[in-house]
Amino acid sequence: MPTVSVGRDLLFQALGRTYTQDEFDELCFEFGIELDDVTTEKAIIRKEKHLKEEDGIGGDEEIIYKIDVPANRYDLLCLEGLVQSLRIFCGVDSVPNYKVAGISKESILKMHVKPETSIIRPYVVCAVLRGITFDEARYNSFIDLQDKLHQNICRRRTLVAIGTHDLDTIDGPFTYEALPPSEIEFKPLKQVETFKADKLMEFYKSDLKLKKFLHIIEDSPVFPVIYDRNRTVLSLPPIINGAHSAISLQTKNVFIECTATDLTKAKIVLNTMVTMFSVYCERKFEVEPVEVTYPDGKSYICPELSSYDMNVSLSYINRIAGVSLEANKVAGLLNKMQLHAEQSVSEDNECTFIVSVPPTRSDVLHACDVAEDVAIAFGFNKIPKQIPASLKPLPLNQFSDLIRTEIALCGYTEVLTWILCSYKENFSMLNRKDDKSTAVIIGNPRSADFEVVRSSLMAGILKTAAHNKDHPKPIKIFEVGDVSVLDGLKDVGASNRRQLAALYCGATSGFELIHGLVDRVMEVTGTPFASAGDNTGYYIEQSDEPEFLSGRQASIIYKGKRIGTFGIVHPQVLENFDIPDPCSFVELNIESLL
């Protein structure tokens, strides 16, 4: 979940009242967000610089609230959106009516898109915040929202890049072009020199913040660039804006452009920026549009700030939320969540709502999102707890739980190990060879520790014993979990198998101890012992697996199929895992017993 840091005093001032920490924590919980941490400006600086508490540093002692918000609530990523949502939730304010200013066709700002942009970044959307008033806190919040959107919905600028400019320093109409790097020359933000775009890429390879975005365009034969009428560079998306049009505390008119590879996300990002900060415009909640003309001659006016409607039935909301509410109550709860609801009657005389979704709520995509908002506004803690009639455990999971209980009663402790392991642990450390037909190999592992989807529970159990070798002996541990093996009959090429593995580690560990556990498992699962060749029960026969000591191991045969192996772990395997004591081990497929 994204975390938003806001000053407590500034937050309370905007909310119109003060709260104790417990009161605000409770308000956050009711609204579906979380007060994650309470800190100070000095504490943040000390943490960033790895300083001790006694080290003298500057900075205010302002209390900072760190608030976790849902990843799809882009309107909560800044103080303005957070305050607006909480005030509406508390019934202090009504839902704002966002509107696009009426501009004549001759006066509207225009953005012309060149055909070459389709090679690298084909879309652009724009808007103007006219008559905005910044102070230091508002300016910082404006910049911080851009950064959070870049990290979140923009996917580190790969999908969308935001550019903001002082409109009074540039002249329209604007053009969005894609040119060879050597033909683009401008002074980037916070620099005093003029660079050609290809040299600029080299320059920013040593910049800790910007170097991580260079890969998005550096290998392209053309770079995206936005010019004004005088060929002044506004930005080189998604890397950097031009210094000429940089916004400041004195900026009164802000031109916002969002270039993108995903038009839908670009519209969401633009709507979020303008709706959050239009509150500071001379005409509150009014945004000036821009006309974008594409190479095919089609023109689009953006932003699109109209609400869209969806029909949701009362019965659906009550069923999903798990409550039984009257229509008037549901409408009131939806208004608290910024969703205007009007009652209507469907053709079959069922009560329904026409729900108007504002441009700030891009997360509302389906009727279930409306039902979720009703549940949040009603209060999750107030919803009666009940087990759904249709909720039944899967037979395999129910069987696994019974197995776990029985083995725990035998004195074994359950462990839970990683599904992924290293290639070496899955094969050579167990004296096994890869036959290329069993293990699922990870194509691009992020770490050498996670290269293979385990095809056996043995490596994880032995690693657990190795990390606890100083524990009093004997060590008796088990795991019930899934392994994955290649399977050509499955559409994904692999299948899961539920396995049981148990280890007895100690100076007296012997074949008979683990054999006794095998017999107990078979007894409690109702699997009778049978003679060799009899398919009515299970029997054991000599095996020759490399991970076990020769002559001290056996296969478990059930209905003519080998379902597992047990025995004394080979000394070489124990040495590979740095285990000094002898161990006996069993692993078997419990699905075959179900």
Side-chain angles (χ1 to χ4, degrees):
M1 294 173 69
T3 301
V4 181
S5 298
V6 295
R8 181 197 62 183
D9 296 341
L10 197 62
L11 175 64
F12 288 172
Q13 180 184 348
L15 288 173
R17 59 157 291 186
T18 58
Y19 296 84
T20 66
Q21 185 174 320
D22 288 341
E23 287 174 340
F24 187 72
D25 193 18
E26 181 64 23
L27 174 61
C28 289
F29 178 80
E30 291 176 357
F31 184 61
I33 59 180
E34 180 182 358
L35 179 60
D36 181 60
D37 190 19
V38 179
T39 184
T40 65
E41 192 73 30
K42 286 185 178 180
I44 293 173
I45 295 173
R46 277 194 295 266
K47 186 175 181 180
E48 290 175 349
K49 296 184 177 180
H50 305 288
L51 300 175
K52 296 180 180 178
E53 191 167 346
E54 58 270 18
D55 293 332
I57 57 171
D60 298 330
E61 270 297 282
E62 181 186 12
I63 303 297
I64 304 295
Y65 279 177
K66 292 190 173 184
I67 302 170
D68 285 345
V69 301
N72 62 346
R73 287 296 302 270
Y74 312 117
D75 58 313
L76 302 181
L77 291 174
C78 61
L79 172 69
E80 289 72 16
L82 197 60
V83 167
Q84 177 177 288
S85 297
L86 289 175
R87 286 176 65 89
I88 294 171
F89 182 75
C90 294
V92 178
D93 291 340
S94 57
V95 181
N97 179 27
Y98 299 102
K99 59 182 179 180
V100 176
I103 304 291
S104 66
K105 191 170 182 64
E106 296 75 24
S107 303
I108 193 170
L109 280 172
K110 296 178 176 59
M111 171 71 77
H112 297 283
V113 181
K114 299 294 184 180
E116 297 79 14
T117 57
S118 62
I119 301 173
I120 184 167
R121 215 170 175 84
Y123 305 112
V124 63
V125 291
C126 313
V128 175
L129 293 175
R130 183 76 69 174
I132 195 168
T133 302
F134 281 127
D135 57 24
E136 188 173 355
R138 295 174 182 179
Y139 177 85
N140 290 337
S141 181
F142 187 71
I143 300 300
D144 191 49
L145 177 59
Q146 293 178 61
D147 289 339
K148 283 188 166 55
L149 289 172
H150 277 151
Q151 294 298 315
N152 193 333
I153 184 175
C154 300
R155 295 296 185 269
R156 295 179 178 268
R157 307 190 190 183
T158 55
L159 300 182
V160 186
I162 310 165
T164 54
H165 312 277
D166 189 332
L167 185 59
D168 297 327
T169 65
I170 50 181
D171 297 308
F174 307 102
T175 58
Y176 177 41
E177 307 178 21
L179 300 173
S182 59
E183 296 181 19
I184 303 171
E185 187 172 1
F186 71 108
K187 184 192 297 183
L189 194 65
K190 298 182 180 179
Q191 300 298 325
V192 295
E193 294 182 53
T194 297
F195 291 83
K196 286 188 179 294
D198 50 356
K199 301 298 182 184
L200 188 63
M201 301 297 278
E202 292 295 326
F203 177 76
Y204 280 133
K205 283 185 177 178
S206 59
D207 187 287
L208 291 177
K209 181 180 180 181
L210 295 179
K211 67 179 182 180
K212 54 191 173 186
F213 306 121
L214 301 182
H215 70 93
I216 302 173
I217 63 170
E218 65 179 341
D219 295 329
S220 173
V222 292
F223 286 1
V225 60
I226 295 178
Y227 289 104
D228 77 347
R229 182 175 60 188
N230 303 317
R231 302 301 289 176
T232 300
V233 173
L234 276 63
S235 66
L236 181 75
I239 309 301
I240 193 74
N241 290 344
H244 180 85
S245 58
I247 66 171
S248 65
L249 293 177
Q250 288 70 45
T251 297
K252 292 299 179 184
N253 302 301
V254 178
F255 177 70
I256 304 173
E257 42 85 5
C258 298
T259 58
T261 57
D262 186 316
L263 183 58
T264 300
K265 286 184 169 53
K267 291 178 179 179
I268 292 172
V269 169
L270 182 66
N271 285 352
T272 302
M273 290 295 301
V274 298
T275 54
M276 293 301 98
F277 287 91
S278 60
V279 66
Y280 300 134
C281 290
E282 188 176 350
R283 296 182 177 179
K284 288 181 69 172
F285 308 124
E286 184 176 278
V287 181
E288 185 176 315
V290 175
E291 182 180 1
V292 179
T293 304
Y294 282 92
D296 59 5
K298 293 182 179 179
S299 295
Y300 302 90
I301 304 296
C302 51
E304 299 172 6
L305 297 181
S306 58
S307 300
Y308 72 90
D309 297 336
M310 63 167 63
N311 292 321
V312 187
S313 69
L314 175 62
S315 61
Y316 177 85
I317 291 174
N318 282 336
R319 186 174 76 252
I320 297 298
V323 292
S324 180
L325 301 174
E326 298 293 331
N328 290 337
K329 177 69 172 178
V330 170
L333 294 174
L334 287 174
N335 285 334
K336 291 179 66 174
M337 302 302 291
Q338 305 179 52
L339 303 177
H340 179 68
E342 290 186 1
Q343 295 183 43
S344 66
V345 179
S346 64
E347 294 179 357
D348 54 356
N349 292 323
E350 183 180 12
C351 179
T352 63
F353 295 97
I354 301 173
V355 181
S356 295
V357 183
T360 53
R361 293 301 308 275
S362 60
D363 59 300
V364 180
L365 304 173
H366 186 272
C368 66
D369 298 315
V370 176
E372 180 189 21
D373 274 4
V374 170
I376 292 172
F378 179 75
F380 284 127
N381 284 346
K382 298 177 183 178
I383 297 174
K385 296 179 181 179
Q386 57 184 359
I387 299 176
S390 62
L391 185 61
K392 295 180 180 179
L394 293 174
L396 179 59
N397 290 340
Q398 198 170 20
F399 184 61
S400 298
D401 289 340
L402 293 173
I403 293 287
R404 289 185 177 100
T405 301
E406 289 297 333
I407 298 180
L409 290 173
C410 293
Y412 286 75
T413 301
E414 185 175 11
V415 299
L416 183 65
T417 62
W418 298 112
I419 297 289
L420 302 180
C421 63
S422 73
Y423 184 87
K424 185 177 179 181
E425 289 168 353
N426 201 62
F427 292 108
S428 62
M429 290 180 68
L430 296 176
N431 288 351
R432 295 173 178 171
K433 292 183 179 180
D434 182 11
D435 59 6
K436 307 297 181 183
S437 64
T438 304
V440 178
I441 309 297
I442 306 300
N444 54 340
R446 296 293 296 271
S447 166
D449 294 328
F450 304 116
E451 298 172 316
V452 180
V453 183
R454 64 185 182 186
S455 55
S456 166
L457 300 177
M458 189 173 191
I461 290 282
L462 290 174
K463 282 179 68 177
T464 302
H467 284 94
N468 292 275
K469 57 189 174 186
D470 294 331
H471 192 278
K473 303 297 185 298
I475 296 174
K476 299 167 67 177
I477 54 178
F478 79 97
E479 180 174 10
V480 176
D482 286 352
V483 301
S484 192
V485 294
L486 296 176
D487 186 348
L489 299 178
K490 300 290 185 179
D491 56 351
V492 295
S495 60
N496 289 348
R497 295 178 183 173
R498 186 67 54 85
Q499 303 274 96
L500 158 67
L503 178 84
Y504 188 106
C505 176
T508 60
S509 179
F511 182 84
E512 68 284 352
L513 291 173
I514 208 69
H515 191 179
L517 182 65
V518 172
D519 289 342
R520 177 57 183 167
V521 170
M522 294 302 180
E523 181 183 359
V524 298
T525 57
T527 308
F529 185 78
S531 58
D534 188 345
N535 290 337
T536 60
Y538 84 97
Y539 60 91
I540 64 173
E541 64 180 20
Q542 186 174 347
S543 64
D544 187 23
E545 300 298 332
E547 61 267 32
F548 293 105
L549 192 62
S550 179
R552 302 294 291 169
Q553 57 175 291
S555 294
I556 305 168
I557 310 299
Y558 176 62
K559 292 186 176 179
K561 296 181 179 180
R562 194 182 77 161
I563 64 170
T565 309
F566 67 96
I568 305 297
V569 181
H570 197 286
Q572 182 59 54
V573 173
L574 296 178
E575 184 180 338
N576 293 340
F577 284 91
D578 194 24
I579 299 175
D581 298 291
C583 297
S584 51
F585 178 84
V586 61
E587 181 166 0
L588 61 93
N589 184 315
I590 63 173
E591 288 186 54
S592 57
L593 302 176
L594 181 60

